[in-house]
């Protein structure tokens, strides 16, 4: 992943804005720059735009949308920004948190109105840390649908996406201005394209075991459930160009991945009154704090596994997710008519599991916080048939990355912007502070879509202005 001096012979081909990576961030950046009348080219390592975006549930949190209003849900950018800050223990970048909260509603409505994305609100359960219901998803509730729709929109806008073309180097002038990229063709040959602005949308370093070991040692041995092609290229190039790295220990984990089926199980199964036990049949945490921090807690249990315990009513809510339907089809979801049968099928100690059920159900009646600090107030008792899934914890994506300003420009150690380098999505530092517990559900696609769009607008504005000064603020 090299940064090299500009080739003496110049570039045979130049495109004003080059974007590396065709996930949610790169495709939103491309659409926004193209709308602004600037030619863009997107380079993607894979044969098809996919990325971690395709592996996700495709849910984007947004405040003040018409999708919320029709359901009578009142929300605001301030309320959303406060939720992001509270979950991140006030450690994240407050200006970026406010920016993405403020632009989230208009970004979701932009995709809906301009490109016809049929969003709807997840209205039937709460996500941990969100003070109201604001997760917007597509009909299948899958990220594959999100990235496929973005890809189609980009194709219809005649945006050039070059697949099977990993970017392997950046060309840079003496004063640090990026002037082009080197990419590798499927036959191994290398080619160059010049540019006036570069947007890094190639996500984080979850697919680079050495960087995970360096920055997130607690997840070094964990299964990485994100896209393997996200190998930290943005961080390595940024560092070589003098960029500041922020919150490199931060990540999104998940404590509910069906094992050994390797299918994401929505946290709705927990938030709606379900709970997790370990192989001893005992609870071990306040599950309602969040699924991200739960990854390390599950991995610390015997054999690194836990069991989601819920019921058919909750399964009916979870079935809106493509992943959950796949988990049922794959036989990951166990059903039982009695606790004893459930214990037997899961190979859990019967007495302990019965005792845990009793404790949870009396916590629901009492309506006060249990010994782990979880309140089950207002949650229905589990009813027959009971359901359970054997799960483990996993690393989903890294949240640390390149420090950026409100225009998506990458900043140097002194906080000044690099001349013409932008970053969005997992390539940029997130808004979750430094710990897994700082990840508020949806922070990933929030910064991918909103910062992607803003980077595209800003890169186009910079190119049009013909200089590297940028006063534009996205709206
Ligand atoms: C299982 C799972 C579930 C999730 N669920 C949600 C959710 O519901 N809501 C949410 O907000 N977040 C969720 N996330 C996180 C979310 O998926 C990511 O934060 C988001 O997709 C990041 O988007 P991105 O565009 O930055 O990266 P990606 O979608 O990963 O795209 C990056 C692209 O860059 C390409 N690339 C990398 N290096 C190069 C290179 N050198 N040259 C060319 N191309 C390159 C990759 O191939 C990839 O296609 C989930 C993550 C996982 C793993």
């Amino acid at each position: 992943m090299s940064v090299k001096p500009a080739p003496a012979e110049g570039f045979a081909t130049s495109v004003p804005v080059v974007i590396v990576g065709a996930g949610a961030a790169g495709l939103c950046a491309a659409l926004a720059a193209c709308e602004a009348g600037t030619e863009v080219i997107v380079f993607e390592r894979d044969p098809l735009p996919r990325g971690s975006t395709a592996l996700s549930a495709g849910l984007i949190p947004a405040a003040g949308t018409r999708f919320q209003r029709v359901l009578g849900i009142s929300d605001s950018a301030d309320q959303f920004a406060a939720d992001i800050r509270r979950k991140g223990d006030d450690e994240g970048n407050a200006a970026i948190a406010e920016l993405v909260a403020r632009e989230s509603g208009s970004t979701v409505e932009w995709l809906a109105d301009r490109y016809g994305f049929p969003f709807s609100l997840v209205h039937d359960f709460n996500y941990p840390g969100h003070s109201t219901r604001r997760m917007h998803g597509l009909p299948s509730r899958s990220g594959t649908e999100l990235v496929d729709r973005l890809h189609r929109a980009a194709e219809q806008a005649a945006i050039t996406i070059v697949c099977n073309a990993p970017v392997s180097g950046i060309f840079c002038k003496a004063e640090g201005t990026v002037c082009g990229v080197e990419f590798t063709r499927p036959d191994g040959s290398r080619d160059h394209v010049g540019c006036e602005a570069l947007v890094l949308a190639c996500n984080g370093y979850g697919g680079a075991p050495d960087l995970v070991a360096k920055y997130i040692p607690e997840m070094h041995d964990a299964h990485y459930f994100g896209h393997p092609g996200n190998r930290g290229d943005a961080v390595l190039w940024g560092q070589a160009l003098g960029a500041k790295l922020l919150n490199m220990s931060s990540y999104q984990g998940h404590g509910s991945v069906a094992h050994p089926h390797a299918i994401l199980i929505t946290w709705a199964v927990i938030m709606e009154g379900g709970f997790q036990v370990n192989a001893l049949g005992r609870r071990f945490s306040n599950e309602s704090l969040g699924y991200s921090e739960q990854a390390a807690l599950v991995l610390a249990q015997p054999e690194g596994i836990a069991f989601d315990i819920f019921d058919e009513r909750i399964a009916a809510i979870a079935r809106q997710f493509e992943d959950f339907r796949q988990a049922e089809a794959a036989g990951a979801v166990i059903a039982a008519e009695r606790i004893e049968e459930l214990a037997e099928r899961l190979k859990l100690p019967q007495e302990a599991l019965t005792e845990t059920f009793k404790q949870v159900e009396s916590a629901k009646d009492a309506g006060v916080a249990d010994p782990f600090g979880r309140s089950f107030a207002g949650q229905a008792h589990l009813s027959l048939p009971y359901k359970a899934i054997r799960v483990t914890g996993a690393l989903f994506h890294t949240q640390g990355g390149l420090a950026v300003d409100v225009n998506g420009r990458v900043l140097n150690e002194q906080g000044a912007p690099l001349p013409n380098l932008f970053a969005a999505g997992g390539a940029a530092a997130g808004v979750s502070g430094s710990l897994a517990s700082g990840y508020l559900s949806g922070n990933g696609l929030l910064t991918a879509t909103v910062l992607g769009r803003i980077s595209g607008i800003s890169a186009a504005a910079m190119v049009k202005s013909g200089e590297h000064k940028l006063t534009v603020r996205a709206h």
Side-chain angles (χ1 to χ4, degrees):
M1 287 305 117
S2 56
V3 172
K4 321 178 199 198
E9 70 279 15
F11 296 95
T13 308
S14 274
V15 177
V17 176
V18 167
I19 297 170
V20 186
L27 293 173
C28 285
L31 289 170
C34 177
E35 278 176 27
T38 301
E39 194 191 344
V40 296
I41 187 167
V42 185
F43 288 102
E44 167 54 50
R45 181 196 294 282
D46 287 354
L48 249 191
R50 280 278 172 264
S52 284
T53 302
L55 302 170
S56 78
L59 298 178
I60 308 173
T65 67
R66 66 165 185 276
F67 304 99
Q68 291 175 304
R69 280 196 297 280
V70 292
L71 294 174
I73 292 168
S74 98
D75 195 7
S76 70
D78 286 349
Q79 186 179 334
F80 185 12
D83 289 349
I84 296 174
R85 285 198 305 270
R86 193 178 318 109
K87 189 78 173 80
D89 225 2
D90 274 321
E91 259 194 322
N93 182 330
I96 300 295
E98 274 157 32
L99 173 80
V100 292
R102 191 173 64 243
E103 303 296 337
S104 60
S106 61
T107 300
V108 161
E109 291 188 355
W110 168 64
L111 292 172
D113 297 340
R114 183 135 190 167
Y115 299 104
F117 286 31
F119 281 115
S120 63
L121 195 72
V122 178
H123 60 85
D124 43 8
F125 69 93
N126 294 326
Y127 273 88
H130 284 284
S131 56
T132 191
R133 292 179 176 177
R134 58 167 77 98
M135 286 295 197
H136 296 72
L138 294 165
S140 65
R141 303 288 191 246
S142 86
T144 305
E145 182 175 0
L146 177 63
V147 78
D148 282 350
R149 284 182 183 275
L150 287 166
H151 183 196
R152 212 171 309 137
E155 279 183 339
Q156 279 164 4
I159 291 169
T160 306
I161 302 175
V162 188
C163 290
N164 280 319
V167 170
S168 42
I170 291 184
F171 294 103
C172 183
K173 292 183 191 159
E175 77 285 3
T177 307
V178 172
C179 56
V181 297
E182 174 194 75
F183 65 98
T184 308
R185 294 190 183 280
D187 66 2
S189 63
R190 296 196 167 185
D191 211 336
H192 307 155
V193 168
C195 66
E196 292 166 57
L198 178 66
V199 180
L200 297 178
C202 44
N203 208 329
Y205 38 97
D210 53 332
L211 296 180
V212 174
K214 178 172 173 187
Y215 293 115
I216 316 176
E218 74 185 55
M219 293 309 270
H220 180 230
D221 294 328
H223 175 57
Y224 171 52
F225 208 64
H227 183 64
N230 296 329
R231 301 182 193 154
D233 299 346
V235 161
L236 299 174
W237 286 321
Q239 259 184 325
L241 290 164
K244 182 180 170 75
L245 304 184
L246 263 186
N247 293 327
M248 295 297 285
S249 55
S250 181
Y251 68 93
Q252 181 205 359
H254 209 294
S256 183
V257 174
H259 184 69
H261 308 80
I263 301 173
L264 166 63
I265 304 299
T266 168
W267 208 235
V269 302
I270 301 299
M271 296 304 286
E272 270 298 297
F275 56 93
Q276 280 195 327
V277 296
N278 59 18
L280 307 175
R282 304 279 181 206
R283 281 181 62 224
F284 51 91
S285 62
N286 175 357
E287 307 91 333
S288 70
L289 288 177
Y291 50 70
S292 180
E293 53 270 58
Q294 196 72 6
L297 294 173
V298 168
L299 289 169
Q301 301 309 304
E303 298 167 48
I305 58 153
F307 299 84
D308 294 346
I309 310 281
F310 52 105
D311 66 5
E312 172 52 33
R313 177 187 66 82
I314 300 175
I317 295 172
R319 260 178 219 120
Q320 69 188 285
F321 291 93
E322 172 75 26
D323 288 328
F324 190 83
R325 295 194 294 270
Q326 280 178 15
E328 285 193 310
V333 184
I334 305 293
E337 290 296 330
R338 291 174 300 114
I339 299 175
E340 297 73 19
E341 185 193 348
L342 196 65
E344 199 182 307
R345 297 200 59 192
L346 300 175
K347 299 190 178 51
L348 295 178
Q350 208 181 95
E351 219 173 286
L353 187 64
T354 307
E355 181 60 27
T356 302
F357 255 84
K358 264 194 215 149
Q359 287 164 355
V360 169
E361 299 303 49
S362 49
K364 287 178 182 171
D365 291 334
V368 292
D370 69 10
F372 296 105
R374 176 170 178 185
S375 169
F376 284 93
Q379 297 202 305
H381 284 262
L382 297 187
S383 52
L384 297 172
Y386 298 129
K387 301 270 171 167
I389 307 181
R390 188 177 198 265
V391 297
T392 188
L395 169 64
F396 271 22
H397 76 280
T398 53
Q399 275 277 293
L402 304 172
V404 292
D405 69 8
V406 293
N407 292 311
R409 288 180 85 175
V410 175
L411 303 175
N412 68 16
E413 285 291 348
Q414 290 69 44
L418 299 182
N420 60 348
L421 185 66
F422 298 80
V431 289
S432 310
S434 64
L435 302 172
S437 57
Y439 184 84
L440 181 70
S441 308
N443 274 357
L445 284 173
L446 172 69
T447 52
T449 53
V450 177
L451 275 184
R453 182 183 181 207
I454 288 175
S455 300
I457 293 170
S458 306
M462 174 178 280
V463 164
K464 278 196 170 165
S465 75
E467 48 183 89
H468 295 139
K469 293 197 187 84
L470 191 66
T471 49
V472 65
R473 284 268 308 250
H475 294 289

